[in-house]
Amino acid sequence: MDEEIIISDQYIKEYVTIDGKQVPVIKCPTKITHRNKLTGEVYASAAEANADVANPSTSTKQEDIAQDVAVTVAHLSLFGKTK
């Protein structure tokens, strides 16, 4: 099934060839958040979270740190052919 995909140019990073066809590589903005699962504290960076783990005056362990990743995907308009 051949489908026409309309993608805004702002999301296309480059094109690659797969099985002889030009396929767009889509760039998706991402946001990574580091937080303490026990206390709910959100860290400004991974370095700050690691510093909390390394700090002997806190009880924070590496397994207490969560890394949340939010990916914003491009809006795609798909048009399929019908018989």
Side-chain angles (χ1 to χ4, degrees):
M1 171 187 349
D2 289 343
E3 294 178 343
E4 179 183 350
I5 301 174
I6 300 172
I7 305 168
S8 171
D9 287 338
Q10 68 184 359
Y11 294 111
I12 298 176
K13 182 176 180 181
E14 63 182 309
Y15 287 88
V16 296
T17 304
I18 300 176
D19 294 331
K21 294 182 182 180
Q22 286 289 97
V23 178
V25 175
I26 309 299
K27 59 180 173 181
C28 298
T30 59
K31 180 181 179 184
I32 300 173
T33 306
H34 298 85
R35 65 179 170 82
N36 187 310
K37 293 188 281 186
L38 301 177
T39 65
E41 179 183 358
V42 177
Y43 301 102
S45 65
E48 187 178 313
N50 291 333
D52 189 22
V53 171
N55 186 346
S57 66
T58 67
S59 62
T60 306
K61 300 177 186 130
Q62 188 62 46
E63 57 266 16
D64 298 336
I65 304 298
Q67 178 175 296
D68 302 318
V69 180
V71 178
T72 304
V73 295
H75 174 74
L76 301 177
S77 298
L78 300 175
F79 298 96
K81 294 182 181 180
T82 58
K83 294 183 181 182

